[in-house]
């Protein structure tokens, strides 16, 4: 069975509407993929600062970061679920990426530029936003970032399931939106 890496960055845990959308989509994908989950809340993440940068410059990378990087590199598919925070992704997820987006593992370079080393053909990003900001709006800086990172890793396929205005619409409307997002994600999962 092919491998799918699910990166759950739904920081509000059980309260997360993004996770409510992602869970049944992952269940559907688990019919065709062996799913491994990384829950960002479970990791003890420290932002990359000068000492970590120095270690890396000397070729020293923690076993943990190397392990995450190899999971990303070797997955056949990747799913990321994260809410829209401060017009982008939660900082904990960005820290995770900075720790495990590793030169020589997830990407490499020649004498001109960088290129990806990851095996995955497709990445699915699942998100919900508080304000009425659609995917593609210049104010929406999460999807372009995740897409750009996929490019760095060499992943060509990119799908997004997003719902917005969750902080301003009535609870019943949120429920309808969650249901339609799940259906959209399950349709994507069938061909993913
Ligand atoms: C720390 C924090 C930052 C947020 N920043 C934004 C933002 O910049 N723009 C926005 O539209 N919504 C923002 N929101 C609202 C969330 O995107 C929205 O409530 C989303 O549905 C939360 O997803 P969740 O239920 O999966 O946690 C923020 C929420 C939190 C807790």
């Amino acid at each position: 069975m092919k491998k799918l890496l699910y990166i759950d960055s739904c920081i509000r845990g059980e309260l997360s509407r993004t996770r409510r959308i992602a869970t049944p989509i992952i269940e559907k994908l688990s019919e065709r993929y062996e799913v491994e989950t990384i829950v960002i809340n479970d990791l003890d993440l420290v932002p990359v600062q000068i000492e970590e940068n120095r270690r890396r410059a000397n070729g020293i990378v923690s076993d943990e970061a190397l392990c995450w990087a190899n999971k990303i590199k070797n997955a056949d598919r990747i799913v990321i679920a994260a809410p829209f925070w401060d017009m982008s992704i939660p900082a904990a997820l960005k820290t995770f990426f900075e720790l495990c987006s590793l030169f020589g593992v997830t990407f490499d370079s020649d004498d001109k530029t960088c290129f990806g080393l990851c095996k995955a053909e497709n990445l699915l990003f699942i998100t919900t936003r508080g304000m009425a900001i659609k995917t593609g709006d210049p104010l929406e800086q999460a999807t372009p970032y995740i897409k750009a990172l996929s490019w760095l890793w060499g992943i060509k396929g990119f799908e997004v399931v997003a719902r917005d205005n969750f902080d301003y619409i009535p609870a019943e409307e949120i429920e309808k939106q969650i249901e339609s997002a799940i259906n959209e994600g399950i349709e994507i999962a069938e061909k993913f």
Side-chain angles (χ1 to χ4, degrees):
M1 220 179 194
K2 288 193 168 188
K3 289 183 195 155
L4 182 146
L5 181 65
Y6 171 38
I7 302 169
D8 173 352
S9 180
C10 299
I11 309 294
R12 295 197 311 132
E14 295 306 307
L15 295 176
S16 168
R17 287 85 62 97
T18 313
R19 188 185 277 178
R20 280 187 56 201
I21 295 168
T23 301
I25 299 171
I26 293 295
E27 263 166 37
K28 182 71 189 171
L29 286 163
S30 71
E31 292 170 9
R32 290 174 40 232
Y33 293 98
E34 183 191 323
V35 177
E36 181 169 5
T37 303
I38 294 178
V39 180
I40 295 298
N41 271 336
D42 292 348
L43 310 177
D44 197 11
L45 298 171
V46 178
V48 177
Q49 291 187 287
I50 188 162
E51 283 310 323
E52 174 66 10
N53 197 260
R54 278 201 190 118
R55 278 193 288 273
R56 279 192 194 187
N58 290 311
I60 302 162
V61 178
S62 77
D63 290 347
E64 201 177 34
L66 196 57
C67 173
W68 298 330
N70 276 309
K71 286 183 200 295
I72 288 168
K73 179 185 177 146
N74 296 320
D76 294 290
R77 299 288 185 275
I78 298 175
V79 178
I80 299 168
F84 190 50
W85 275 19
D86 293 280
M87 312 312 269
S88 182
I89 56 166
L93 180 60
K94 179 70 162 65
T95 295
F96 174 77
F97 289 145
E98 285 184 18
L99 287 165
C100 66
S101 182
L102 288 179
F103 187 79
V105 184
T106 57
F107 70 99
D108 218 331
S109 83
D110 54 24
D111 55 350
K112 288 194 181 67
T113 191
C114 293
F115 55 87
L117 295 176
C118 294
K119 185 177 167 190
E121 286 165 23
N122 227 336
L123 185 148
L124 168 63
F125 177 47
I126 301 169
T127 191
T128 65
R129 307 179 190 120
M131 288 186 274
I133 296 173
K134 302 285 176 204
T135 308
D137 188 313
L139 292 173
E140 200 278 283
Q141 291 296 309
T143 313
Y145 167 66
I146 302 273
K147 201 171 180 178
L149 191 63
S150 308
W151 175 86
L152 177 65
W153 292 345
I155 302 169
K156 294 192 175 64
F158 183 84
E159 306 269 4
V160 57
V161 173
R163 290 296 180 275
D164 62 270
N165 214 14
F166 270 23
D167 291 0
Y168 300 97
I169 54 177
E172 317 85 74
E173 181 58 23
I174 293 176
E175 290 308 312
K176 280 189 202 153
Q177 293 287 332
I178 289 175
E179 201 184 314
S180 84
I182 291 169
N183 291 336
E184 184 186 331
I186 285 175
E187 231 172 80
I188 291 171
E190 277 160 6
K191 293 169 266 158
F192 189 69

